Amino acid sequence: MRISAMLRRRGAIPAVLCMLLAASPVVAADEAPAAGEEGLVRVDVKNVDVVYRRPGVKWAGYTKVFIAPVSVSFSRSWDPHDYGAFGLRATDVDRMRSDLAALVHGTFAKVLGEGGYQVVEAAGEGVLQVEPDIVNLYVNAPDPLEPGRSRTYVLNTGEMTLALELRDSVTGTLLARARDRRRGTEYPWLTIANRVVNRAEAERALTGWAKQLRRNLDAARAGP
């Protein structure tokens, strides 16, 4: 049995369904949307790195949500060739992205649905379009679906950033934009990482994001 220990200095969170991660705050200035873009103004929201909203939106009119297809992209510093004897295959990376996208979509639909928002499959009157994309994904311990007894030990699972946009589903008007980076659990000692651990970490972070969105929507719909 071959045992490999991967020590990554990058903070991190959840991982993809088959090998992913998730994350916590801190956005670099050059990553934040510019003030005033598209009529949005910056507002402070607790536990979220950056949030911009359009003034005067009648949020109470949105009782339904449409979860748009999710886009997932890796960090520029993450290299699939760094893992395993020959690196990850393109099919492994594609699976990681598609699995995480499905997990994001399902988590947001579930949490918002539990909060009383009707989840629909198309645009329409009173429908808020939710676009929860994932960027800067960094997976410390990818777990490809292949035979072998190799084990990977990490101090954390990785990190990712949620790039969220809310739009009127009929007009496409941008109503709000948020960006939040989350890092995975920091273990006090080397801990084995695999598909099960990665998925659990991802679900935890995504559920936290979705619940925060639900709380903020509830507050906005209730008015000042």
Side-chain angles (χ1 to χ4, degrees), residues 93-164:
V93 178
D94 286 343
R95 181 171 52 247
M96 292 169 67
R97 295 177 64 201
S98 61
D99 284 350
L100 182 56
L103 186 59
V104 173
H105 192 283
T107 301
F108 274 79
K110 178 176 182 291
V111 170
L112 292 174
E114 291 174 344
Y117 294 88
Q118 182 181 349
V119 181
V120 298
E121 298 300 320
E125 293 297 327
V127 177
L128 180 67
Q129 183 165 312
V130 180
E131 303 177 0
D133 294 330
I134 298 298
V135 299
N136 295 331
L137 176 65
Y138 199 101
V139 188
N140 279 339
D143 187 8
L145 297 173
E146 60 183 22
R149 298 177 62 81
S150 174
R151 293 180 180 177
T152 300
Y153 291 82
V154 300
L155 292 177
N156 55 63
T157 53
E159 70 177 59
M160 67 184 176
T161 297
L162 174 69
L164 176 71

Side-chain angles (χ1 to χ4, degrees), residues 54-63 126 128 168 175 217 220-223:
R54 180 177 298 281
V57 175
K58 295 181 173 61
W59 294 99
Y62 294 104
T63 59
L128 180 67
D168 181 277
L175 306 178
L217 285 176
R221 293 178 68 242

Side-chain angles (χ1 to χ4, degrees), residues 26-76:
V26 182
V27 169
D30 61 352
E31 293 184 350
E37 276 189 3
E38 301 179 78
L40 306 184
V41 296
R42 184 162 182 172
V43 295
D44 292 327
V45 176
K46 185 178 181 180
N47 298 324
V48 180
D49 294 338
V50 179
V51 177
Y52 286 84
R53 289 178 183 164
R54 180 177 298 281
V57 175
K58 295 181 173 61
W59 294 99
Y62 294 104
T63 59
K64 304 175 184 178
V65 295
F66 165 61
I67 313 298
V70 178
S71 171
V72 174
S73 60
F74 282 88
S75 166
R76 287 176 293 181

